[in-house]
Amino acid sequence: MYIRRSSRPSTTADRTGQGGGPSPRGDGASARARRARTGGALLAATVLLLTACSSGSATTSAGTVAEAALAALPRATPTALASYYGQRPHWHSCGAPGFECATLKAPLDYARPASGDVRLAVARKKATGRGKRLGSLLVNPGGPGGSAIGYLQAYAGIGYPAQVRARYDMVAVDPRGVARSEPVECLSGRDMDTYTQTDITPDDGRETTGLVDAYKKFAEGCGADAPKLLRHVSTVEAARDMDIVRAALGDPKLNYVGASYGTFLGATYAGLFPKRTGRLVLDGAMDPSLPARRMNLDQTAGFETAFQSFAKDCVRQPDCPLGRKGTTTTQVGRNLKAFFEKLDSRPTPAGDPDGRRLGESLATTGVIAAMYDEGAWAQLREALTSAMKENDGAGLLALSDSYYERDTDGSYANLMFANAAVNCLDLPAAFDTPEEVAKSLPAFEKASPVFGEGLAWASLNCAYWPVRATGEPHRIEAKGAAPIVVVGTTRDPATPYRWARALAAQLSSARLLTYEGDGHTAYGRGSACIDSTINAYLLRGTPPTDGKRCS
């Protein structure tokens, strides 16, 4: 489905599913100014695949996973990795004043450390206060594919609570294959334009073949660009890289705040290195025990939940183009679906200098992007009004472009490429054939009458990936880890609340913190209760009572 990521903006047009495809997709000065993001293009956005390093797990008929669990690595550092753990970063000024950057190395293949290296880009902003320094605080905005360094420089390093930035060195590392860390590239900007406009709701065999061909071309491009790296961009490997970064920073334990997919990365670290786990906040949590198809279906239902909230709010506004006061949310959904179907046959002008018109795929991505943050609902109403009543698709195209991280010059960040690379390696494909998708359409359309069809077809992209998946669904227990705070938002579109409850039930030391509200993730989104609770944990090590709820 769509990429899972924090809705906070990152570097360029910063962006954060098994994923990768033709429809829209991924983090700022203030929380309310954050760009809304979904998590991958419809095509590029199939479910954010969780990596699993365990083997032998069995999927039940209910779509859950038997008792496979992520095993902790030995406490002692293997001799073959000693040189990596002994690195010290050589910092230099970069980006805005106060930020420093460095490069570290990690083994391309942890099973064969002598076979080559991966270069990891690291950035930090040193603690600004006079109080006792608490060490480093790593941050990750999600994705997979979101640039942690971009997120640090655009938001976390300047927008996190002042008392947190005063006590911690704020640190980010772009995971392997992402942004500054040997980024995976798949298509040119022009080819990505074509890919993002591919019809994701095929009506016949010809359109189905066109969709499959688009997935194949995307996958072939990724394989040609990085044939070796593509086999080694899993979440498990990225988590092991974080331990090398921790050692290079001189921290005995890892302190970390991860949003969206970043929660899976952080939980994986805790599962591998429970004794080296410090203060971990996992915000907008994912459930690593789910297979790809179930994850995609859950996320489809999550976007429907978010849309229902938007619909209720929309009809209360005088400028809602989808209905007026008294219009049911069901009818609002039908009106939007009818608009999408109209665009499927007759794309509308969008004032794009490159000649793109707003079709169903780009419009759907634009709407989904706005579901990530209720602060974007007014912008979405305006964009829909322009497209539906004035035949001007520029507003929805802009939302879609921000989701895909498309720049004004027609180039794309590597978010969507890295998203697919990680997701398709982390879990076996949700579907292997178009016929399997067709059989599952009723379930997806039941989960979301508006988005279900497109999200079901978006779940097909990993079927054509050039590298076989190395992960499987699994539980993460992290026995022996310090208390871990798992945060879930009740109407989160991209990471449904049930996932936060599931992860909290798996982690042996988890404390579940619930935000009763809309939008993707909770920390820094305006809830004083959430923010003060997490700040107390980060600054004093005081975790919340398990089950605490905020609004």
Side-chain angles (χ1 to χ4, degrees), residues 18-20 22 43 46 49 195 207-224 230 420 424-425 427-437 456-469:
Q18 214 161 348
L43 280 183
T46 52
L49 295 188
Y195 182 67
E207 291 185 351
T208 299
T209 298
L211 179 60
V212 169
D213 288 346
Y215 284 139
K216 288 180 177 178
K217 183 175 181 177
F218 185 95
E220 290 167 359
C222 296
L230 216 59
C424 294
L425 194 62
L427 285 181
F431 297 106
D432 292 324
T433 67
E435 291 74 21
E436 290 183 1
V437 177
W457 284 106
S459 306
L460 180 63
N461 69 311
C462 285
Y464 309 102
W465 202 243
V467 176
R468 189 172 183 175

Side-chain angles (χ1 to χ4, degrees), residues 17 129 222 245 289 342 347:
C222 296
V245 173
S289 73
K342 176 183 176 181

Side-chain angles (χ1 to χ4, degrees), residues 100-370:
E100 301 174 307
C101 292
T103 301
L104 295 172
K105 292 182 179 180
L108 174 66
D109 183 352
Y110 276 92
R112 298 186 301 134
S115 64
D117 299 331
V118 171
R119 295 181 300 276
L120 302 174
V122 185
R124 75 174 177 183
K125 191 170 189 293
K126 298 189 73 173
T128 56
R130 297 181 180 180
K132 181 181 177 182
R133 180 179 170 277
L134 295 174
S136 304
L137 180 64
L138 268 70
V139 295
N140 184 284
S147 172
I149 292 177
Y151 174 67
L152 176 72
Q153 294 178 337
Y155 175 73
I158 56 177
Y160 261 43
Q163 60 268 43
V164 174
R165 292 183 284 115
R167 305 287 299 281
Y168 283 102
D169 290 347
M170 302 294 294
V171 177
V173 54
D174 280 346
R176 51 175 66 200
V178 174
R180 298 163 179 82
S181 294
E182 302 195 19
V184 173
E185 302 291 342
C186 304
L187 297 177
S188 67
R190 186 176 296 275
D191 285 340
M192 269 298 287
D193 279 348
T194 300
Y195 182 67
T196 60
Q197 295 176 78
T198 302
D199 189 343
I200 53 164
T201 57
D203 299 316
D204 53 34
R206 180 184 61 81
E207 291 185 351
T208 299
T209 298
L211 179 60
V212 169
D213 288 346
Y215 284 139
K216 288 180 177 178
K217 183 175 181 177
F218 185 95
E220 290 167 359
C222 296
D225 174 74
K228 293 183 179 179
L229 180 61
L230 216 59
R231 292 173 168 78
H232 297 287
V233 291
S234 70
T235 300
V236 167
E237 289 162 312
R240 297 191 69 171
D241 292 345
M242 287 204 303
D243 199 52
I244 289 176
V245 173
R246 173 203 58 77
L249 296 170
D251 292 318
K253 294 191 175 185
L254 181 80
N255 301 310
Y256 174 87
V257 178
S260 198
Y261 162 80
T263 66
F264 178 50
L265 182 59
T268 299
Y269 180 90
L272 296 173
F273 305 103
K275 297 299 182 181
R276 299 175 192 170
T277 297
R279 299 171 187 177
L280 260 64
V281 177
L282 308 179
D283 184 12
M286 293 180 59
D287 179 2
S289 73
L290 298 178
R293 190 180 304 186
R294 173 61 183 274
M295 290 185 65
N296 285 330
L297 191 59
D298 281 359
Q299 197 182 44
T300 298
F303 280 113
E304 181 66 22
T305 296
F307 177 74
Q308 292 288 320
S309 291
F310 165 74
K312 291 176 183 178
D313 178 77
C314 187
V315 297
R316 291 196 291 261
Q317 311 301 325
D319 61 343
C320 179
L322 297 171
R324 61 186 65 182
K325 187 175 181 180
T327 303
T328 65
T329 57
T330 299
Q331 187 59 50
V332 169
R334 290 173 180 159
N335 293 342
L336 181 59
K337 184 68 173 176
F339 172 60
F340 288 159
E341 291 172 351
K342 176 183 176 181
L343 293 177
D344 188 26
S345 58
R346 297 191 302 277
T348 192
D352 180 56
D354 295 314
R356 292 177 302 156
R357 297 169 69 87
L358 183 75
E360 180 185 17
S361 292
L362 292 174
T364 303
T365 299
V367 172
I368 284 181

Side-chain angles (χ1 to χ4, degrees), residues 50 68-70 264 267 286-290 473-479 486 498-510:
L50 303 178
L70 182 64
F264 178 50
M286 293 180 59
D287 179 2
S289 73
L290 298 178
H474 58 279
R475 293 176 298 107
I476 299 178
E477 299 173 351
K479 293 180 179 179
V486 176
R498 62 188 296 174
W499 290 358
R501 290 190 300 175
L503 180 60
Q506 293 168 41
L507 292 169
S508 62
S509 61

